[in-house]
Amino acid sequence: RIALQKEIEKGAHKSEAEELDEMWKWVKLSILVAGPVCVLACAKDILFVEHAHAKPGPMPDYMKIRNKPFPWECEDCALFDNECWKQCRAEMAAEGN
């Protein structure tokens, strides 16, 4: 069994230059295949896919369920909800004056 393994190993050995050539062949082939696939996928997404966005206007009540307040000054506002932050700060300024 060991002799068979050594024989297989001896026949499968390639020089470093051959290994590098084989590696670069597969790198080039991967780029040749993956490049157009990525470009076509991006083009498909840009041209044909409609992205669903939130409808303008107030959100329904079930969308603002809070188990505990947020840990910042406007406890009911999400972090990137700029309209809510403006309204909250205006209310805080009105209460402060």
Side-chain angles (χ1 to χ4, degrees), residues 68-82:
K68 62 181 184 177
F70 287 122
W72 39 79
E73 61 181 318
C74 295
E75 299 170 346
D76 195 39
C77 294
L79 187 59
F80 296 110
D81 188 359
N82 291 332

Side-chain angles (χ1 to χ4, degrees), residues 1-14:
R1 180 173 178 201
I2 294 175
L4 178 63
Q5 287 177 342
K6 286 185 179 182
E7 185 179 328
I8 291 172
E9 188 175 300
K10 196 184 303 181
H13 180 72
K14 295 181 181 178

